[in-house]
Amino acid sequence: AVLWNQAENLLRELGALDATSVLTTAGRSMAALGLHPRLARLVLAARAQGPATESLAWACAALLGDRDVLSNAASSDFRLRLGLIGALPAIPPATVAGQTNHALLQRCRELWLRNAPAQSKPSGCEADPGPLLALAWPDRIGRRETVEKDRQNRLVAHYQLSNGRRAILGGSDAQDPPPWLVAIDAEAGDQITT
């Protein structure tokens, strides 16, 4: 019952259900996309903002619909992944540490190009994915609280998430941590992907 209630609350927060748990018009549109509700919310919100933003949203959905295209990446910055599929300006290769799953990267690129509006496919856009991701993960918006050194003398940034949980951003990301982030991959005991 607890998990069911959490799922219903998330669907209400995403606009898919009304206060009485009845499917909304937006919920029907989200279901028609055949994506996870978070990703469908992202795409629908972007559609209203124009083709460049919708293209970015489809790139986000393509990358987030599967496992990470970068394994053991030094950075959790989601913009790096968007750059790898061409949705944002290219990222210098030295910036992308870790192993790239090229087959998965190609599948993500193909999914993005197949779904993005035709007029925005070739060049992508330079939009910030943060606001779109915040619409899909409203429960994981984080405000930076502190930056300090841990027991191993490594810099870590502590965030308070909107769902009441706390998150830690470490590694190279903690060198210049943003004041706000969206923790799109946050599990108990894990570091976060932003």
Side-chain angles (χ1 to χ4, degrees):
V2 172
L3 293 177
W4 182 266
N5 290 337
Q6 287 175 346
E8 279 190 336
N9 287 336
L10 175 62
L11 291 172
R12 270 192 287 282
E13 210 169 347
L14 295 174
L17 296 178
D18 67 15
T20 62
S21 296
V22 173
L23 192 63
T24 64
T25 302
R28 281 189 281 285
S29 297
M30 290 165 65
L33 288 174
L35 298 170
H36 184 284
R38 290 185 188 271
L39 302 179
R41 171 70 171 111
L42 184 142
V43 169
L44 286 180
R47 239 179 224 164
Q49 299 177 37
T53 305
E54 184 181 351
S55 177
L56 179 64
W58 276 109
C60 291
L63 286 164
L64 294 167
D66 211 322
R67 63 190 183 281
D68 196 354
V69 296
L70 292 175
S71 60
N72 303 318
S75 176
S76 62
D77 192 334
F78 191 65
R79 292 171 298 183
L80 293 177
R81 285 122 178 110
L82 288 166
L84 285 174
I85 68 167
L88 289 180
I91 305 296
T95 308
V96 183
Q99 292 187 320
T100 304
N101 182 329
H102 293 285
L104 179 58
L105 186 64
Q106 185 59 33
R107 281 200 322 265
C108 289
R109 186 177 292 120
E110 289 168 1
L111 178 63
W112 167 49
L113 293 174
R114 185 172 55 250
N115 290 292
Q119 60 268 40
S120 64
K121 286 181 189 175
S123 61
C125 69
E126 297 188 27
D128 178 7
L132 289 175
L133 296 172
L135 289 171
W137 279 269
D139 53 326
R140 295 190 193 166
I141 298 169
R143 182 179 48 83
R144 187 181 67 217
E145 292 187 323
T146 62
V147 179
E148 60 192 21
K149 295 209 175 187
D150 66 7
R151 291 181 183 145
Q152 286 83 31
N153 208 31
R154 297 173 301 199
L155 207 55
V156 293
H158 297 266
Y159 288 83
Q160 176 66 50
L161 300 182
S162 54
N163 64 7
R165 293 177 54 198
R166 296 190 179 282
I168 298 172
L169 185 65
S172 64
D173 295 323
Q175 298 303 317
D176 187 22
W180 293 91
L181 55 70
V182 179
I184 55 179
D185 186 12
E187 299 300 327
D190 289 346
Q191 300 251 345
I192 56 178
T193 300
T194 59

